[in-house]
Amino acid sequence: MATTVEPSAPAPTAVRARAAISQRTLRNDRWWLNPAITAGVLLSFVVYATWAAFQNADYFARPLISPFYSPCIASVCESARQGAQHGVHVPTVGIIGTWWSISPALWILIIPLTFRFSCYYYRKAYYRSIWMAPPACAVGEPHSKYTGETRLPLIMHNLHRYAFYAGLLLNMILTYDAVVAFRDTHDRWGHMSVGTLVLVVNAVLLWLYSLSCHSCRHIVGGRLKHFSKHPVRYKAWGIVSKLNQKHMQFAWVSLIFVGLADAYVRLVASGTIHNPYIF
Amino acid sequence: MTYDLKLRIWRGDSSGGELVDFSVPVDDGEVVLDAVHRVQAVAAGDLAVRWNCKAGKCGSCSAEVNGRPRLMCMSRLSDFPQGEPIVITPMRTFPVIRDLVTDVSFNFQKAQLVPAFTPSAEQPQAPFRMQQVDVERSQEFRKCIECFLCQNVCHVIRDHEENKEAFSGPRFFIRYSELDMHPNDGLDRKALVQDERGLGLCNITKCCTEVCPEHIKITDNAIIPMKERVVDVKYDPVRFFRRRAARR
């Protein structure tokens, strides 16, 4: 006699746990060195930029203007200068009226700070070194909860491309500043000083940093599905992609140099050093 | 030259385990997987390890060597200082089955969630005619050997088990990118990858790129372009108003 065998239910999949390893990391290299250096440089820049932005003095030494204060969009540029350059006329675009009595740099710095804060490279840099999410690859992070860039305020990083557009405008103005620096202290054209070189190098580095940006790469051609239908944009995408491979280097060099450019103009404007003319 | 190599290998299963010391003879030019096989041969015949090609192409022998996610078959012993023990543990992000073998089925579940290639209305049926310049960008992603080291190192799930439900991980973000860049794919997956597959959880720390044995630029060439494509449809206010104006 045949017997009926009830089909047995499939065996439940065993609920497995991760390997019990108590150490936060088993890495034995100096994984902490890179984030430590990154944090040190970033925080040093923040401290210097904050100090320089609140000085509200010594940012113009004809024909040089500090990149932290250009374009000078506050009327206060003309009236509230102090220090060795007191009384010197500063080129001003008086968008912000006289009601603004604090440093005009606070308006200008919004653009580069937003651009750099939302930059895909800097996100890696400060998420690792300052927020420690994670401090290094395969090193446990200290936070018990993580929501990434899914909610405010970090979801605002998705607007990076607008900071990029604003940054391009600022680059144009800083390029203009570098061009007008080919004058002497009496506004006669055809002269070049060390300060001129500083502003030119600063403008070039800022352009390289901006044009190597991931958003730029996307806007130029990355968003396309058919490169073959857009040969010019494909060519441009190829160029930006090459620059993009050096985005990290451009980010650091341009950050450090913009601080050095401000420091140079500040030292000249305060009379601490002389701005030697090459011709 | 033959010398004695000290190894500390994690042994155990889901219920617990510990690092066990071994010392085995190895030769110059060998890799970590050779040393593990030597342990199997001379000291612990029941040591569990998953491997296959020994050429860095099958993605089976993923583990953590001195705390760094790597393929054991591509980790040369000469890269480690002699005299110091090499510590080998299973991948942390996935449940352990035994010793160095982990249960990576999480990845296969996430793979099933990816909507397959869907031909566009322009060329609904094969054979599809495509230009090389249109496909070469996503060919980089086809190099993936599915070793899941990128999934293992990603802190979103490595340090937060609770995110596994909502997060597909870098291996599958390159798949979504590949499909979105495909010249003849007609399905829009941008909102899906952002809202339901956890692209927004990625904070671009590039560890996936660092550990990829195929040197795929996962972050720069797949995740960030995908994030930018998501911005196009979800977060770009100019495009939003332009679309609304076009509808009127």
Side-chain angles (χ1 to χ4, degrees):
Chain A
M1 193 174 107
T3 55
T4 308
V5 179
E6 289 291 320
S8 58
T13 308
V15 179
R16 297 195 179 97
R18 300 181 183 205
I21 301 168
S22 57
Q23 292 94 327
R24 183 178 169 214
T25 182
L26 289 168
R27 283 181 65 167
N28 55 7
D29 58 333
R30 289 186 292 175
W31 58 263
W32 45 267
L33 185 60
N34 212 321
I37 292 171
T38 304
V41 176
L42 279 179
L43 293 174
S44 301
F45 181 83
V46 168
V47 168
Y48 174 78
T50 307
W51 173 81
F54 277 98
Q55 286 304 295
N56 198 15
D58 299 331
Y59 51 83
F60 182 73
R62 188 171 298 279
L64 310 175
I65 185 165
S66 160
F68 284 11
Y69 285 79
S70 179
C72 220
I73 58 171
S75 300
V76 71
C77 292
E78 293 199 63
S79 58
R81 281 166 294 102
Q82 300 163 3
Q85 292 293 304
H86 186 72
V88 177
H89 176 75
V90 177
T92 305
V93 187
I95 298 170
I96 313 292
T98 50
W99 58 271
W100 179 263
S101 56
I102 317 172
S103 170
L106 299 180
W107 285 100
I108 298 307
L109 288 177
I110 291 171
I111 295 172
L113 285 181
T114 308
F115 184 41
R116 289 188 188 255
F117 185 73
S118 61
C119 163
Y120 287 104
Y121 168 68
Y122 280 110
R123 273 142 86 173
K124 172 198 164 187
Y126 64 74
Y127 278 136
R128 280 201 194 186
S129 63
I130 294 171
W131 192 242
M132 293 196 286
C137 301
V139 177
E141 61 176 74
H143 312 288
S144 59
K145 197 173 173 212
Y146 174 82
T147 55
E149 299 176 346
T150 57
R151 55 180 69 172
L152 284 170
L154 296 181
I155 200 170
M156 297 299 285
H157 281 323
N158 286 306
L159 297 177
H160 178 56
R161 67 181 57 170
Y162 292 96
F164 164 72
Y165 292 139
L168 289 185
L169 286 177
L170 203 57
N171 286 354
M172 289 179 199
I173 291 162
L174 294 181
T175 305
Y176 170 81
D177 289 343
V179 170
V180 298
F182 282 90
R183 297 183 301 180
D184 65 8
T185 52
H186 301 289
D187 286 348
R188 287 178 298 229
W189 286 93
H191 298 276
M192 187 172 85
S193 66
V194 173
T196 314
L197 278 177
V198 168
L199 293 192
V200 168
V201 172
N202 181 54
V204 169
L205 289 174
L206 289 174
W207 275 112
L208 286 171
Y209 170 58
S210 300
L211 295 178
S212 63
C213 158
H214 292 84
S215 282
C216 177
R217 189 182 182 215
H218 175 76
I219 293 159
V220 160
R223 62 159 58 116
L224 298 172
K225 262 191 182 243
H226 297 89
F227 282 145
S228 56
K229 293 179 183 170
H230 306 272
V232 176
R233 290 183 71 180
Y234 175 55
K235 187 86 179 165
W237 178 81
I239 294 168
V240 174
S241 294
K242 281 199 176 73
L243 288 174
N244 181 255
Q245 291 171 13
K246 301 281 180 198
H247 191 51
M248 178 185 81
Q249 288 87 337
F250 293 141
W252 281 119
V253 176
S254 63
L255 181 82
I256 292 168
F257 205 86
V258 77
L260 290 175
D262 172 82
Y264 185 84
V265 174
R266 186 168 300 283
L267 289 172
V268 173
S270 63
T272 310
I273 62 171
H274 174 64
N275 178 33
Y277 270 79
I278 300 164
F279 57 83
Chain B
M1 191 185 83
T2 301
Y3 64 96
D4 279 335
L5 174 72
K6 288 186 170 54
L7 291 164
R8 304 193 73 204
I9 301 177
W10 193 90
R11 300 214 60 192
D13 55 25
S14 268
S15 59
E18 60 180 350
L19 290 170
V20 179
D21 292 313
F22 296 98
S23 180
V24 290
V26 292
D27 291 319
D28 279 346
E30 288 193 310
V31 295
V32 169
L33 184 59
D34 293 323
V36 171
H37 283 160
R38 195 76 34 81
V39 171
Q40 271 186 329
V42 303
D46 61 342
L47 175 67
V49 55
R50 187 185 281 136
W51 65 282
N52 198 347
C53 74
K54 292 184 77 174
K57 287 296 166 195
C58 73
S60 301
C61 63
S62 302
E64 300 193 6
V65 183
N66 280 354
R68 304 191 79 144
R70 336 175 45 147
L71 295 178
M72 286 188 284
C73 70
M74 300 303 285
S75 304
R76 295 180 69 89
L77 293 177
S78 56
D79 292 340
F80 300 92
Q82 270 191 33
E84 289 181 25
I86 294 176
V87 181
I88 309 170
T89 55
M91 290 192 283
R92 281 204 197 206
T93 302
F94 308 118
V96 66
I97 298 174
R98 213 181 91 183
D99 299 340
L100 300 178
V101 179
T102 50
D103 176 0
V104 293
S105 55
F106 162 80
N107 302 291
F108 306 131
Q109 291 157 11
K110 295 300 177 184
Q112 286 182 324
L113 296 176
V114 182
F117 169 74
T118 309
S120 68
E122 289 174 25
Q123 293 191 75
Q125 285 190 326
F128 306 121
R129 291 185 61 81
M130 289 174 278
Q131 300 290 317
Q132 176 60 27
V133 291
D134 292 336
V135 293
E136 63 191 7
R137 181 171 38 163
S138 51
Q139 280 175 340
E140 177 191 9
F141 310 142
R142 304 295 291 186
K143 293 194 298 179
C144 176
I145 58 173
E146 299 216 308
C147 60
F148 303 128
L149 287 175
C150 58
Q151 303 281 85
N152 172 53
V153 80
C154 182
H155 74 108
V156 176
I157 48 178
R158 184 183 175 93
D159 295 331
H160 303 279
E161 179 75 22
E162 71 279 7
N163 283 336
K164 276 189 173 171
E165 178 79 23
F167 188 69
S168 284
R171 190 275 166 266
F172 299 102
F173 293 149
I174 69 173
R175 179 70 181 140
Y176 284 100
S177 295
E178 180 191 340
L179 289 166
D180 210 66
M181 292 172 186
H182 194 290
N184 200 38
D185 184 82
L187 189 64
D188 190 347
R189 300 170 184 78
K190 297 180 193 78
L192 174 79
V193 73
Q194 177 74 2
D195 298 337
E196 295 175 43
R197 302 292 181 261
L199 185 68
L201 285 166
C202 169
N203 64 341
I204 340 250
T205 49
K206 288 199 174 184
C207 288
C208 49
T209 304
E210 277 188 28
V211 301
C212 179
E214 283 295 313
H215 308 294
I216 301 171
K217 300 276 190 301
I218 300 173
T219 324
D220 286 325
N221 290 349
I223 295 180
I224 294 174
M226 200 63 212
K227 277 185 175 257
E228 285 291 313
R229 284 164 183 252
V230 168
V231 172
D232 282 345
V233 297
K234 278 187 70 83
Y235 301 111
D236 189 328
V238 173
R239 287 184 155 233
F240 173 76
F241 287 116
R242 200 191 297 162
R243 272 198 303 272
R244 287 197 60 159
R247 257 185 244 141
R248 283 180 185 169

